[in-house]
Amino acid sequence: MTQQGAEGTVGELPPVPDEIGEAARVAPDHWLGMVDPMWSGEGDPPEWAPAGRWRSGPDGEVEEWQDNPDYRPSPGARGWPEPEDEVDRASRLAATGHGPGEAVTQTLLGREVAVLTGPGGSPLSAATPDGTPVVPLFTSPVFLHTVGRFAFELVKVDDLLPRVPEGYALCLNPSGPVSMTLELDAVRDAVTVADDAVARGTDA
């Protein structure tokens, strides 16, 4: 049985980490926060970083656990395997709220990706569950080979964009742990900004 409190759900105790048990003995009758290991900033963690908090009783034993309803579990906390590449890493961070979505597009710029091809050599298209027309692309051989043995082409994202039909989006790593749909205009804009920065001799 669980009980909803003002700051989270109080329920049965999950396994108590050794460091929490030791902290409880040192600080009886206290709340002890459990912060996601991915957060490594200074000062007080943001509201979404703690998974919850433990309560030590007067005798120094842990006696209560309280979930944090605002918690954003990181990829590691979700038990996901290590990312296959920097694009995959950026996608996982963005999907879990631990990184900006813009980083996904930035890591794609200038990168060689794989696209499935049809009999005529054109990139194959598909549709997302909500009906959005997309061109799937893969940043890792692991994700590419997961879909089976199909013809594919290696191409830089910048060179792929002109071959994507208007009204379509890009579907990034549809066979990976995290798949993202990227609007074509957003990727085009990022390419333009990067190209302008190169022309000026600065970083994007």
Side-chain angles (χ1 to χ4, degrees), residues 6 28 49 52 62 64 75-78 89 91 106 123 125 132 139 157 159 177 181 188 191 197:
V62 174
E64 187 177 326
R78 293 171 183 264
R89 182 186 304 278
S91 299
Q106 291 298 320
S125 60
T132 301
T139 62
V157 171
D159 298 327
T181 300
R188 284 172 174 161
V191 170

Side-chain angles (χ1 to χ4, degrees), residues 23 26 45 47 52 85 124 145 151 157 194:
V26 174
E47 292 183 0
D85 52 52
L124 284 182
H145 297 322
V157 171

Side-chain angles (χ1 to χ4, degrees), residues 87-137:
V87 180
D88 187 28
R89 182 186 304 278
S91 299
R92 297 181 190 208
L93 292 177
T96 55
H98 284 257
E102 295 80 2
V104 180
T105 303
Q106 291 298 320
T107 56
L108 268 176
L109 299 183
R111 188 181 186 91
E112 191 174 65
V113 298
V115 291
L116 302 178
T117 55
S122 298
L124 284 182
S125 60
T128 62
D130 64 1
T132 301
V134 296
V135 170
L137 57 86

